[in-house]
Amino acid sequence: MTTVAGGVRASARVLARGDGRGGTVLPVLEGEGPLAVRRTRGSGAEARVMLVGAMSGPLGGDHFEVGAHAANGARLRVGSAAATLALPGQDKAGARYDVRLTVDDDAELYWLPEQLISAGGSDLTVTTSVDLAAGARLLLREEQVLGRAGEEPGRLTSRLTLRIDGRCVLDQELLCGPGAPGGWDGPAGLAGHRAVGQLVVVRPGFATEPPAARVFEEGAAVMPLAGPAALVTAVAPDALRLRRLLDGALASLD
């Protein structure tokens, strides 16, 4: 961890590999400062890792980086112990949270952190970059909550890029809160909702049998991507309803 003018710079890294006997080993499990990483009890061939927030944040001026790599034969599930709370810093500087995920052939990654809460006065930019081999499998969940109870949201910029076998199949950006382009909260945007989320599901079987584009329930939709992947997007009045919509849409894909 490095403390720089205006904030903290910290990183965490996870590397999982198949052990050749049907299990998964974790040769790299590193975290520092506010990004503590812990292995928890797995199930079968799957290794499970938990991100534990050891400090508040990210605060204005902080820069966090997290990387996870599921190498050949690995089955890796990554979650977080609690929601991430973006808070304002004393110098009003924006914060960054960069996530880089890599999944090799015959490997699987479940990236399932808890919600990101954009507190009033905060300014956070989140980038998630995902690179998958042609035979990789992925389940990625993102959930953002705009403001705490009774609070106006901070400024949140979230960008997600997904590449499969070197081909970009998804590149989208969401801007919310003060300073965001007009209309972000209008009928063509969040329509007054304060919780927004998505699932990205990548399965080799989708290449020949992609899911149909459809409205799952009010506020949630399923859309096939140009590859063996599907995108579920949802908006809701609160985090609980958002999670129920995402879980229900995922179950419908099964």
Side-chain angles (χ1 to χ4, degrees), residues 51-169:
L51 296 173
V52 181
M55 298 167 56
S56 297
L59 307 177
D62 291 349
H63 186 182
F64 296 169
E65 297 176 297
V66 177
H69 182 182
N72 189 268
R75 305 291 182 266
L76 176 62
R77 180 183 294 259
V78 181
S80 62
T84 297
L85 180 62
L87 295 166
Q90 293 183 350
D91 61 1
K92 307 297 183 182
R96 289 191 61 88
Y97 201 130
D98 297 326
V99 177
R100 179 66 184 267
L101 308 177
T102 306
V103 189
D104 294 349
D105 275 317
D106 189 31
E108 178 178 86
L109 173 61
Y110 279 50
W111 183 259
L112 302 170
E114 294 302 311
Q115 297 91 355
L116 167 63
I117 302 172
S118 176
S122 64
D123 183 356
L124 177 64
T125 298
V126 181
T127 63
T128 303
S129 179
V130 187
D131 285 279
L132 306 182
R137 294 177 296 279
L138 173 76
L139 173 60
L140 178 148
R141 182 180 68 210
E142 288 189 339
E143 297 169 313
Q144 291 102 16
V145 179
L146 306 180
R148 294 168 290 192
E151 176 185 61
E152 288 299 309
R155 177 181 170 88
L156 176 63
T157 304
S158 177
R159 183 169 184 175
L160 171 61
T161 305
L162 171 67
R163 289 173 290 271
I164 302 176
D165 197 23
R167 178 188 182 192
C168 184
V169 300

Side-chain angles (χ1 to χ4, degrees), residues 2-52:
T2 303
T3 301
V4 297
V8 171
R9 187 180 184 106
S11 63
R13 192 160 67 101
V14 179
L15 172 62
R17 295 187 185 278
D19 63 5
R21 303 185 302 274
T24 300
V25 296
L26 297 171
V28 178
L29 196 63
E30 301 173 347
E32 56 184 1
L35 297 175
V37 186
R38 301 287 184 268
R39 181 168 189 167
T40 61
R41 185 182 297 275
S43 175
E46 183 181 81
R48 297 188 179 185
V49 172
M50 193 72 67
L51 296 173
V52 181

